[in-house]
Amino acid sequence: MCGIVGYAGSNNALPFLIQGLKRLEYRGYDSAGIALAGKSLQIHKCKGRVSDLEAHLLSKEAEGSVGIAHTRWATHGEPNDSNAHPHRSMNGQFALVHNGIIENYALLKSELVKEGYAFQSETDTEVLVNLIEFYYGKGEEVSPEMAIRLALSSVVGAFGIAVLCNDVPEELIVARRGSPLVIGIGEGEYFVASDATPLIGHTKNVIYLNDNDLAIISKNSLVLKTAEDKPASFQISRVNRTLGEIEKGDFEHFMLKEIFEQPITIEDTFRGRVSANRESIVLGGLLDVFPQIVKAKRIILIGCGTSWHAALVGEYLIETYARIPVEVEYASEFRYRNPILSSDDVVIAISQSGETSDTLVALRMAKEKGATILGVCNVVGSSIARETDAGVYTHAGVEIGVASTKAFTAQVTVLTLFAIKLAFAKGELDVELYHEIIAELAAIPGKISTILEGHLKIKEIAAKYKDATNALYLGRGVLFPVALEGALKLKEISYLHAEGYAAGEMKHGPIALVDDNLPVVVVAPKDHYYEKIVSNIQEVKARKGNLIAVVTEGDLILKEMVHDIFEIPESHPAVTPLLAIVPLQLFAYYLAVMRGCDVDQPRNLAKSVTVE
Ligand code: G6P
């Protein structure tokens, strides 16, 4: 939520700041702004996208070699020009951009009002910038850095901030608690961003700022400190991403590009994890903790949104094959319900960004209660990846479309590898089945390519349903989470109301919705639920619902029975989720495009939810 960039060097900061904001726009896109240091602090900001800010800047003089910028996802105060960041302190001494939430802002604000402070916006951020200025005014011995430290010690909540001070225009100060910040090291210049994507093409050397640390940056100097004013520990990491990964190429949208990348991303997830002879699975990141996992009495998978759906797939697979009890929880519920946990439990966080606030806090809580905590993350170096005892990266590459697609299939691939490896280690899976499922997984990229080749057919089908107002998605077993994920994709990007349901639950409510206006998407490949789901299809048909079914290639029975079909190649049931979701992603994509929606940046959403 919200993206921050910053620059301190010898060049004009503006081009980097604007380009950086564009690359972080997936984090929020309701307003944007920049501040540049110079003779005085210049701030330019407006409601809308980064492109609106660019247009706004055309008539302005904006130059400076130290600057900060922000793209916003509104929490406090509606998206408008005055609530946009950067915020300036009342006497103009500081400018600040913020990602996170200051929970005690109302109390701090009332105290500042008593001190004579007046506010221009409804934001919690303006309270923080004024609080810094307030402390700065306490005496000559208080440096900007000290004032920031003092202000942050009064703050309850999460933040990643970047601050400029009028008195020290060559300096940029950043700090974090909860929200991520990365510092890029250039030659005679430093870059700051909420994640590493704005740094691609500028530097490969980065420092992930630790929680509670501050960095004082100028063109030739970088000083890292803890909240207690001690030197902070840090590590320089390499980021080997390429520009191609963050560009759309020939695709109209990032989401479409990412759907089409899945044969490659699944290969990448697979690479190095399966031996050349396809006879064993190696999850290097879990090597040290694997004996503990094998002994676990219970595995708890936590996540949010699409990652929660991947966790549900994981639950079916781990319980079916490894016979270890699994619970799946929304991280936002888990963190507050005081769950019973012990050192026999393994808690695995599933998160594309590795920064989702609820997931991160839930993990910390599980760690405090003695559980082993693991992560399945996509973003290397993310907070969850760094705070867990061990984990597995999904290696899906940068995902920019707000609606997650390739990250989901990468998560499901990792969870499938994990379930099968665990099952084999526990002696629950015989060697033939172990090898068969590995071979089936290895065949998935090719089978997804076959589905993608049929995208124009899916587009034609989407055209028929573009004026629908509701949709129901049904699935059974491990394909129930696929129905949930299919419905979520449609809801997120087309704004159509879509519900996913376990097909067996249909009679307990949703069937009341079925009439000749309702598209009902049923995930119904040939597996051991097939006959049951065919009965559900009959029930919908009897009530004149518009049936669309995901079926195994060559299924003539369902072809006759339903209005439209999405065919997927035959596969082992353990890997079918990886195939069944693909037509549903394409269906949602084409339908949303036909409805004129902004599929890459759907309204109200953000990709990385760093506030609870
Ligand atoms: C947001 C995104 C979803 C994502 C969820 C969890 O809601 O819009 O696409 O699934 O957060 O994010 P994570 O990064 O933890 O997977």
Side-chain angles (χ1 to χ4, degrees), residues 260-390:
F260 271 81
E261 276 173 351
Q262 289 176 111
I264 298 168
T265 52
I266 291 177
E267 287 272 6
D268 289 344
T269 307
F270 220 67
R271 185 165 301 124
R273 268 85 189 251
V274 173
S275 61
N277 57 8
R278 304 233 181 279
E279 290 199 341
S280 59
I281 295 169
V282 183
L283 295 175
L286 297 184
L287 226 50
D288 294 344
V289 288
F290 206 70
Q292 221 168 310
I293 303 174
V294 173
K295 282 191 293 187
K297 295 243 163 48
R298 184 170 63 149
I299 294 176
I300 299 166
L301 302 172
I302 58 172
C304 304
T306 290
S307 296
W308 183 75
H309 294 155
L312 285 177
V313 175
E315 176 183 32
Y316 277 94
L317 297 177
I318 297 167
E319 287 205 341
T320 304
Y321 296 103
R323 308 304 297 155
I324 297 181
V326 179
E327 285 173 27
V328 176
E329 293 233 25
Y330 287 119
S332 54
E333 286 297 313
F334 187 66
R335 65 180 283 193
Y336 284 119
R337 70 169 184 80
N338 194 14
I340 302 162
L341 287 169
S342 75
S343 54
D344 292 331
D345 293 316
V346 171
V347 177
I348 310 180
I350 318 292
S351 176
Q352 188 284 129
S353 62
E355 300 294 348
T356 302
S357 162
D358 280 323
T359 313
L360 185 58
V361 177
L363 262 190
R364 288 179 184 153
M365 182 268 290
K367 188 171 188 156
E368 267 170 33
K369 287 178 184 272
T372 300
I373 60 165
L374 308 177
V376 173
C377 298
N378 193 38
V379 177
V380 175
S382 56
S383 300
I384 292 177
R386 288 182 299 131
E387 290 197 25
T388 38
D389 300 325

Side-chain angles (χ1 to χ4, degrees), residues 447 450-451 525-526 550-556 565-571:
K447 291 182 182 177
T450 309
I451 300 171
K526 286 214 167 128
V550 178
V551 304
T552 306
E553 248 164 25
D555 182 337
L556 297 176
I565 54 166
F566 301 137
E567 286 189 305
I568 58 172
E570 199 172 349
S571 62

